[in-house]
Every structure is written in C-alpha cells, then in structure tokens.
Amino acid sequence: SEGGVIDPNTNVGGSVNLDYEINSKQNIGFNYNLRYNKSFDSQISMFNSYNGILSNQSVQNEDAQTRNHSFNLNYEIKTDSIGSKLSTNVSYLWYNRNSESVSETFPINEGQYESFRQFVPQKINNIGANVDYIWKTKNENTWSFGGNYNYTETDNNTRRDDLTDGIFVNNFVLSNHFKYTENIIGFYANYEKQFSEKFSGKLGLRYEITQTDGDILGKDNSFTNDYANFLPFLSLNYAINPTHNLSFSFSSRVRRPAFWELNPSRMYFTPTNYIQNNPFMLSSKFYNSELTYMYKGSYFL
C-alpha cells in the first residue's frame, strides 16, 4: 500500500496559575491547564497492490476532537531555618478523544466496492498525590523521604460497522470495549552529603508497587499484571580544581507501556491494513551509568 495523509489540525490551549504566600514559611499554589485539538476532514488515501498488481484504492476520512483538562494543587511549609521543608501535591487529569471515520475501497480493475466506519473514543482519568520531606542537618547532611500514589482508568469503546446491503451493520468481532486500570504506589529515601569542599555524593533508593487490570467487556479476554521494582540511585562529584570537575552517576527507572499501546482493538486503514496493540506488554527497567568530565563549567565529555 502506498499513499499520503492529509491531517489539518487546530490547537487551542491555556493555563491559569495561582500562588499564595500564607506567611513566611507556608505557600500554596494552584494550576489549571486546558488543551483542545480539532482535526476534521483528515484523509488517508492508499493505492493497494497484491502480488505486484494494482488492485484498488482505499480512502479514509476522519473527524476527531481531543479535550484535555488537568488540575494541580500544591502546598509547602518550611520546618526550620536551614532549608528543611515539607511539600505535598495533588493532581487530576481528564482526557477525552472522540474519532469517527468512514473508509471506502474502490476497485481499479476487478473486485467490489467496500466500506466501513469506525468510532474510536478514548477516555482517561488520572489522580495522583505525593508527599516529600527534605531534612537538612547542621553538619551538611540532607535527607529526603517521600511517597506517591497514582491511579489511572481508561475506557475505550471502539466500534466497527460494515456496509451491508446499503446500511452499516455492527461487526461484533472487530468491535471492542476495553477498560484498563493502573495503580502505582511508590516510596523513596535519599541521602546527600558534602564530604569536603571538593567531594560530595548522593545515594537513594525507590520502591514501586504496580497493579494493572485490563478487560474487554463481553469477551473472554482479560489480564492482570502485578509487579514491584527496586530502583537505586547514586551520584558522586569531585571538583579537582575550579577549572576541572569529575562526576559519576548511576540511575534506574521504569518505562511502562502507554495506555493506547495496551488496547487490543484493531484500527483499520484499508480492508487489510490495520494497527493492533498488545495488552500483554510488560514494563521495562532501564539502568544508566554516566561518567562526566567538565572543563570551566561549560565544556564536557
């Protein structure tokens, strides 16, 4: 298949930020973000060949709208005069994308006309909260502790209708109502020390517990995936002199599949070309080691 894509887009966005100083030790803040995307009259046009012979042309027209609202409320209090503080944060995300498309296939030599339409909505709700405490001591030790909770729910009710005898009839096999939930709880502790004027270091450990559940309503296709991860962190810095600096860091993180990557419903572009994602994808762990030499604070290797 070979062809082109026309995808006109209109984007509108905005944000509101409010910060209030309760007193010299306490602050509270609020943030709201809005994004809207409109993509009407987008088109995918494909010429399809089979065994090297041009067979037909497929044209898909789509109208889609995406709305995204996010809210964040944070609070901070200083607990002493040398930099110790407690921070809390609560956030909420509401994401909604609606898409309707009609696909037509026109025979070039032999064959028959085919048409189908798809409704592909995607709804995501996310709630997150975290608490962090930084404790500084007079002998230049810094401890930091914290925890977070993240809950996500997605609802994708994908529908496929085929043109039969002049009317669109639902194709139950290729229609899927996919629901997915994800719970993440994390805890961490870090220790930072300035050992001398030249040498400093930071050591940390994070522990995460993840629970996921996915289900296609009305069909025997569901999965549950529970796992935990220990994620260490180390950073060392040595200032050889004011001109030369040497540092080493080791970090680890988890990369989880995006919500759309887990949706097993098929998105057809032609009668034979489609994208289908994998609900059984697992998370990945990444480990990164980095040794850096810096000259005059500007050039590094």
Side-chain angles (χ1 to χ4, degrees):
S1 295
E2 186 178 9
V5 177
I6 300 172
D7 187 16
N9 275 267
T10 301
N11 290 281
V12 178
S15 64
V16 175
N17 293 279
L18 300 173
D19 292 290
Y20 180 68
E21 185 180 42
I22 302 172
N23 52 45
S24 60
K25 292 185 176 181
Q26 300 181 74
N27 294 277
I28 191 169
F30 173 78
N31 172 263
Y32 165 70
N33 282 280
L34 162 69
R35 289 194 63 83
Y36 171 76
N37 173 269
K38 177 182 177 181
S39 174
F40 282 7
D41 300 320
S42 65
Q43 186 181 88
I44 301 175
S45 180
M46 308 285 281
F47 286 95
N48 307 305
S49 300
Y50 299 90
N51 296 323
I53 300 174
L54 187 63
S55 176
N56 55 48
Q57 181 188 16
S58 295
V59 179
Q60 182 182 83
N61 293 282
E62 181 189 58
D63 290 341
Q65 295 185 82
T66 302
R67 298 173 178 85
N68 189 333
H69 301 271
S70 62
F71 303 85
N72 180 274
L73 181 66
N74 58 81
Y75 169 77
E76 181 180 285
I77 180 172
K78 298 176 182 177
T79 57
D80 58 32
S81 60
I82 58 175
S84 301
K85 62 181 180 180
L86 174 70
S87 303
T88 61
N89 185 79
V90 178
S91 60
Y92 173 71
L93 167 70
W94 182 85
Y95 174 93
N96 192 327
R97 185 181 191 273
N98 289 296
S99 167
E100 179 179 348
S101 64
V102 175
S103 299
E104 298 177 286
T105 299
F106 304 94
I108 292 178
N109 294 314
E110 297 180 354
Q112 61 181 6
Y113 170 82
E114 295 181 67
S115 181
F116 62 88
R117 67 182 180 187
Q118 295 178 107
F119 300 90
V120 188
Q122 185 177 38
K123 299 177 182 178
I124 300 175
N125 286 279
N126 173 271
I127 299 173
N130 63 277
V131 178
D132 301 285
Y133 182 66
I134 298 176
W135 176 35
K136 290 184 174 289
T137 62
K138 294 182 179 179
N139 56 355
E140 297 188 356
N141 291 329
T142 301
W143 295 86
S144 54
F145 311 91
N148 71 284
Y149 173 72
N150 201 288
Y151 173 79
T152 305
E153 181 181 72
T154 70
D155 190 336
N156 305 326
N157 191 2
T158 302
R159 175 172 170 167
R160 159 78 179 258
D161 295 338
D162 293 330
L163 187 66
T164 305
D165 297 329
I167 60 173
F168 283 105
V169 178
N170 177 241
N171 186 326
F172 176 76
V173 175
L174 298 180
S175 299
N176 286 313
H177 189 176
F178 178 64
K179 285 195 170 186
Y180 175 79
T181 60
E182 181 179 82
N183 288 275
I184 303 172
I185 300 175
F187 306 95
Y188 78 91
N190 293 333
Y191 172 69
E192 187 174 355
K193 173 73 173 178
Q194 183 73 39
F195 297 98
S196 66
E197 292 184 0
K198 293 186 175 184
F199 183 58
S200 63
K202 186 176 181 180
L203 178 67
L205 180 65
R206 179 175 179 84
Y207 178 63
E208 288 187 353
I209 303 171
T210 304
Q211 181 186 44
T212 63
D213 292 285
D215 185 29
I216 299 179
L217 304 184
K219 299 182 180 181
D220 187 18
N221 192 345
S222 62
F223 67 92
T224 298
N225 187 19
D226 301 338
Y227 55 92
N229 290 295
F230 282 100
L231 304 171
F233 169 81
L234 173 66
S235 176
L236 301 172
N237 188 78
Y238 181 67
I240 302 171
N241 55 45
T243 302
H244 305 278
N245 191 87
L246 195 64
S247 63
F248 170 78
S249 68
F250 171 81
S251 61
S252 54
R253 65 182 178 89
V254 175
R255 194 275 186 189
R256 296 177 177 83
F259 306 124
W260 60 268
E261 292 178 310
L262 297 168
N263 188 348
S265 60
R266 292 184 178 184
M267 285 289 299
Y268 278 86
F269 301 100
T270 76
T272 54
N273 289 353
Y274 63 87
I275 293 174
Q276 182 176 24
N277 297 299
N278 181 6
F280 301 103
M281 288 180 66
L282 302 177
S283 64
S284 305
K285 278 199 288 189
F286 290 81
Y287 300 97
N288 186 63
S289 298
E290 205 168 87
L291 180 65
T292 304
Y293 163 75
M294 184 164 285
Y295 176 68
K296 290 187 175 181
S298 300
Y299 307 95
F300 64 90
L301 175 68

